[in-house]
Amino acid sequence: MLSQHSKISNHCLFAITSMDVLPLVDLTKHTHPALSDRPILSSQRSGWRGVFFNHYDHPAHESPEHQWMQHIIGITGGRHPVKSEHRLANQLKTCYCQPGGILFLPAEVRYSSHWQQAGEFSLIGFSPKFFEQIVNESTQVKHIELIPQLDLIDPFVQQVGLALKADVEAEHPAGRMFGESLATGLIIHLFKHYSVWRPQLSCDLAGRLPEYQLRKLFDYIHAHLSQDITLSEMAGVLNLSQYYFCRLFKQSTGVTPHQYLTRCRINQAKQLLLKTELTITEIAFEVGLTNHSSFTRLFRQYVGVTPKAFRVSQ
């Protein structure tokens, strides 16, 4: 089981050390008193399971001591450093957060902050249950303590944050799987680098999926292209954990599950554009995409022209 608390020690681990009742802040709802403004961009309609993304353009703000219900990653945006003060378990630190700087707060850690300047930032939240599920599928360790981080530079976390932001801005053109795949990889990264115990993951072993399993999976994908297939559903076809499935799939095919699924959708869309009288919106639904604009952007990205231009040119 994942620890819902972290411990304070000479190694900068933090814990809840008293029974004080503090505000519990939920990233999926109004985040007062941790934040005063609502996000300008949110993954609320993404359909993602267990992972949440908000982006803020926030004024200077002082938040009283509180606890997050989710494991929280904060990524500083903008172009200039932002001066801020952070208090974790009665330890105060002043930071000049650079663009791309990372904050990591495990759920239920006592925390307060004072952001002395306005600025942009993103928050990524993981429900502890989802985080625990992904970790437990990937290791035999039963007890994980996560280590809070302030003013951290981590290019991997930064790039995943940018990819999630771009996916939300584009209204999830490839469906839920892209965001859920990124979230799975990010959880394993956090577990490997920012927890007390850092065992080798059982899924770090090399391997490939046998041909009969790939065929079973491909048949499932083609039979469900009109649906918003999730990563957990694809992994479930082969009775594998999500993380292990992603690694084996890429080792076996050379592409990620979401890349393969997207290519299948684009190829199917091409056939429908050439051989049917369906409208472009109807074709978008037939290949599992939820709206005309998302389908058009994704089609242009992969084919180089819009669906309308492709149909006319043939």
Side-chain angles (χ1 to χ4, degrees):
M1 296 289 291
L2 281 178
S3 171
Q4 294 301 307
H5 311 285
S6 303
K7 296 180 179 179
I8 185 168
S9 73
N10 292 333
H11 301 289
C12 298
L13 307 183
F14 300 90
I16 298 173
T17 55
S18 76
M19 298 305 292
D20 296 346
V21 177
L22 296 176
L24 280 176
V25 181
D26 186 347
L27 187 62
T28 67
K29 300 178 181 178
H30 197 290
T31 52
H32 182 82
L35 300 169
S36 58
D37 281 15
R38 294 184 180 275
I40 59 174
L41 187 68
S42 173
S43 66
Q44 185 176 6
R45 297 182 180 180
S46 67
W48 296 340
R49 181 178 62 90
V51 58
F52 317 97
F53 177 93
N54 287 345
H55 186 75
Y56 299 84
D57 188 355
H58 206 282
H61 177 66
E62 184 170 3
S63 63
E65 194 171 38
H66 60 276
Q67 297 167 313
W68 286 95
M69 295 178 64
Q70 293 87 16
H71 302 309
I72 295 292
I73 297 172
I75 305 175
T76 305
R79 298 181 179 179
H80 306 287
V82 177
K83 185 179 180 181
S84 56
E85 293 181 350
H86 306 262
R87 184 178 295 276
L88 279 165
N90 295 321
Q91 294 189 10
L92 183 65
K93 181 176 182 179
T94 299
C95 301
Y96 289 86
C97 298
Q98 301 292 328
I102 309 298
L103 166 76
F104 177 45
L105 296 173
E108 297 187 22
V109 166
R110 303 172 71 101
Y111 172 73
S112 64
S113 64
H114 182 195
W115 294 86
Q116 300 177 22
Q117 301 164 252
E120 286 193 45
F121 59 90
S122 299
L123 294 183
I124 305 169
F126 298 102
S127 73
K129 183 177 180 180
F130 178 63
F131 196 103
E132 180 178 342
Q133 174 194 333
I134 298 301
V135 169
N136 284 344
E137 288 175 347
S138 308
T139 180
Q140 299 302 313
V141 173
K142 299 300 182 182
H143 182 77
I144 304 299
E145 293 184 15
L146 300 173
I147 307 171
Q149 304 289 327
L150 292 174
D151 201 20
L152 175 71
I153 300 299
D154 188 320
F156 180 82
V157 175
Q158 182 182 6
Q159 290 302 313
V160 171
L162 290 172
L164 289 173
K165 182 174 181 286
D167 190 57
V168 174
E169 288 175 326
E171 299 180 348
H172 321 289
R176 285 190 287 177
M177 183 175 294
F178 180 64
E180 292 182 350
S181 298
L182 289 174
T184 298
L186 184 52
I187 285 173
I188 297 301
H189 179 83
L190 295 172
F191 162 66
K192 290 175 69 174
H193 295 280
Y194 307 117
S195 64
V196 176
W197 299 103
R198 302 180 187 178
Q200 181 176 353
L201 300 177
S202 59
C203 28
D204 282 341
L205 303 175
R208 295 171 59 91
L209 293 168
E211 188 64 31
Y212 79 92
Q213 285 192 320
L214 284 173
R215 178 50 50 197
K216 179 180 179 181
L217 180 63
F218 294 161
D219 289 345
Y220 175 86
I221 291 171
H222 286 280
H224 295 83
L225 271 183
S226 63
Q227 302 174 17
D228 191 4
I229 304 172
T230 67
L231 183 63
S232 61
E233 289 168 346
M234 286 180 65
V237 172
L238 304 183
N239 295 316
L240 294 172
S241 73
Q242 294 181 45
Y243 182 67
Y244 199 16
F245 167 73
C246 287
R247 289 181 62 86
L248 287 179
F249 188 92
K250 187 168 185 179
Q251 288 168 187
S252 302
T253 66
V255 295
T256 65
H258 110 267
Q259 288 172 330
Y260 179 83
L261 176 61
T262 301
R263 290 179 184 180
C264 289
R265 285 173 166 160
I266 296 301
N267 289 336
Q268 177 69 5
K270 287 181 179 179
Q271 296 299 313
L272 293 173
L273 285 166
L274 295 177
K275 297 180 179 180
T276 74
E277 298 298 322
L278 293 174
T279 68
I280 291 174
T281 298
E282 289 171 336
I283 290 173
F285 283 112
E286 283 291 319
V287 298
L289 301 175
T290 57
N291 59 71
H292 183 119
S293 60
S294 293
F295 171 55
T296 298
R297 282 195 298 269
L298 193 65
F299 193 92
R300 181 189 289 142
Q301 177 184 339
Y302 275 76
V303 183
V305 296
T306 65
K308 181 178 180 180
F310 178 83
R311 173 176 265 174
V312 170
S313 67
Q314 301 303 308

